[in-house]
Amino acid sequence: MDLTDQTVLVLGGSSGIGFGVAQAAQAAGAKVTIASRSAEKVEAAAAKLGCEGVTLDTGDAAALESFFADRAFGHVFCSAASTKVAAVRELPLEDAYGSFDSKFWGAYRLARAARIEEGGSLTLVSGFLSVRPKAGAAIQGAINAGLEGLTRGLALELAPVRVNCISPGLIKTEMYDTLDGDGRKAMFDGAAERLPAGRVGTPENIAVQALALMANPYMTGTTVFIDGGGAIA
């Protein structure tokens, strides 16, 4: 995909899926800005990529409004979120509220504030639990389903800006670095055995689709599942 001279903002771009998307967009010729709520992480990631980095929290509506007051982007991608997962009767309500506030309302606040050029795009990230529920993760499935519904509504409200959603399955990112080496390997190997694709995903797998959504003028209101077949396994 050719994004030469186009501007791309990646929220959550300091690590994981977001970093992979930022790296791919830059390789496709885009002028990339990454954002994260951690100044230390965004500074390190921006230096590694050689792009602009800004400290920005999708939980802060005023900061979002201020950031976009005098600038617009061709494309905005958001993977920024911090959620906690447990069974409904075990997850403290404050953690449930906080998870929704971060992932769903963070995307909502971003959609309200973001200035995107006509014909540009906004891409959100949900997750395949929206259609493949799992005991002990009802909160995550509900948040993801809400994001996918929000995507469809935003595609109508923000047109001609295009709005799409990517729904990943299990992706190898720094999120799992807290697991010990054997535990992490066992989890990934077990998932690969269960998945029709026979493997788990990488940020690069998501980045390919993210760039396709940015570049394709006929894609809007769509949720794309990139889960190795997890939604049907």
Side-chain angles (χ1 to χ4, degrees), residues 59-196:
D60 188 336
L64 287 170
E65 294 283 353
S66 176
F67 175 75
F68 285 106
D70 59 356
R71 62 194 303 179
F73 291 87
H75 306 281
V76 176
F77 178 93
C78 182
S79 59
S82 177
T83 60
K84 295 184 178 180
V85 182
V88 168
R89 293 182 177 178
E90 297 173 4
L91 185 68
L93 281 175
E94 58 267 29
D95 289 340
Y97 297 152
S99 295
F100 250 102
D101 186 66
S102 176
K103 191 168 184 179
F104 178 86
W105 289 110
Y108 191 99
R109 285 186 285 264
L110 172 63
R112 280 176 57 90
R115 294 177 62 228
I116 301 173
E117 296 166 3
E118 185 172 323
S121 70
L122 169 64
T123 304
L124 307 178
V125 176
S126 60
F128 81 114
L129 290 177
S130 62
V131 296
R132 186 70 159 80
K134 177 183 177 182
I139 183 70
Q140 194 68 50
I143 294 169
N144 292 340
L147 278 170
E148 291 166 15
L150 179 64
T151 294
R152 293 188 290 273
L154 288 174
L156 297 174
E157 290 193 11
L158 301 186
V161 169
R162 294 175 291 106
V163 185
N164 293 291
C165 186
I166 291 178
S167 177
L170 180 60
I171 306 296
K172 288 184 180 179
T173 68
E174 302 93 324
M175 180 189 304
Y176 302 102
D177 285 352
T178 55
L179 299 175
D180 66 80
D182 290 341
R184 185 169 59 249
K185 184 179 185 303
M187 180 185 70
F188 288 142
D189 288 349
E193 289 179 4
R194 293 190 301 272
L195 290 170

